[in-house]
Amino acid sequence: MTARIGVVTFPGSLDDRDTQRAIRLAGAEPVALWHKDKNLHQVDAVVLPGGFSYGDYLRAGAISRFSPVMETVIEQAKAGLPVLGICNGFQILTEAHLLPGGMLGNDHLHFICRDQKLRVENAETAWTADYESGQEIHIPLKNMDGRYVADQYTLDELEAEGRVAFRYVDFNPNGSLNDIAGITNEAGNVVGLMPHPEHAVEPLIGSGRTDGLPFFTSILKKLVKA
């Protein structure tokens, strides 16, 4: 039976179609989910895609966190449902307290768009198992509010527990503390990152690399194994 991975569309989502394509290329079935619908339609995992949900008013992701679909996502994520938040999706996950810390405006106060080098720090989550720990990859990055922040206790806890999933290498594009590009929850089923793996899944589109495809093959293998 084909794994079904839901992709939530919020008002202002930009990369939901790209994410659906990446899921399809990995061999799973993408399922479009609408932010006003609490029903996840029996999907096996959920992706919160990038964009500017609700125009990033108040704070990035702050309004989407209260969308009806998030009530179910939060409940099921706590019960073990795999959830990936990409860029704006990562911001929503921190606003929903499924991941600790928060996102602020880039330290240089400019939107940034570039091919970003990352190091995989945790290859044991539901979304990173097809990588190797220490592997360096290139993933497109585009954000205005991408600076990850947290208090020192939280940072120390993330580092000590191996919950930093990805770290910026050679260049910190937004001033994120500890060069953090992505993190995971304790269980490893919820992952958030600022760069966009869905833009690096086939050689002729996007960055011209396929470094992002293992995100989607990782979860597929996890679901098939389960």
Side-chain angles (χ1 to χ4, degrees), residues 7-8 12-21 49-52 86-88 142 196 198-199:
V7 180
V8 180
S13 293
L14 299 179
D15 302 301
D16 44 349
R17 296 292 183 88
D18 303 69
T19 303
Q20 291 175 28
R21 179 176 177 81
F52 299 91
I86 302 171
C87 195
N88 191 227
K142 51 178 185 177
H196 287 259
E198 77 280 10
H199 294 328

Side-chain angles (χ1 to χ4, degrees), residues 5-36:
I5 302 178
V7 180
V8 180
T9 297
F10 299 94
S13 293
L14 299 179
D15 302 301
D16 44 349
R17 296 292 183 88
D18 303 69
T19 303
Q20 291 175 28
R21 179 176 177 81
I23 290 168
R24 192 175 294 111
L25 285 171
E29 177 188 349
V31 178
L33 300 176
W34 184 237
H35 72 110
K36 287 188 176 182

Side-chain angles (χ1 to χ4, degrees), residues 27-62:
E29 177 188 349
V31 178
L33 300 176
W34 184 237
H35 72 110
K36 287 188 176 182
D37 187 0
K38 290 185 179 182
N39 189 342
L40 298 185
H41 301 280
Q42 298 180 316
V43 297
D44 303 299
V46 168
V47 180
L48 306 181
F52 299 91
S53 60
Y54 290 95
D56 281 348
Y57 292 116
L58 298 183
R59 291 183 310 277

Side-chain angles (χ1 to χ4, degrees), residues 4 24 101 107 160 192 199 205 208 212:
R4 292 160 44 85
R24 192 175 294 111
D107 59 352
H199 294 328
I205 297 178

Side-chain angles (χ1 to χ4, degrees), residues 178-189:
N178 292 21
D179 297 326
I180 290 174
I183 60 175
T184 179
N185 66 344
E186 292 182 33
N189 64 303

Side-chain angles (χ1 to χ4, degrees), residues 135-154:
Q135 181 179 351
E136 294 186 351
I137 59 177
H138 290 80
I139 302 290
L141 173 79
K142 51 178 185 177
N143 63 71
M144 181 68 186
D145 299 297
R147 177 160 53 111
Y148 180 77
V149 296
D151 59 61
Q152 193 60 51
Y153 176 85
T154 299

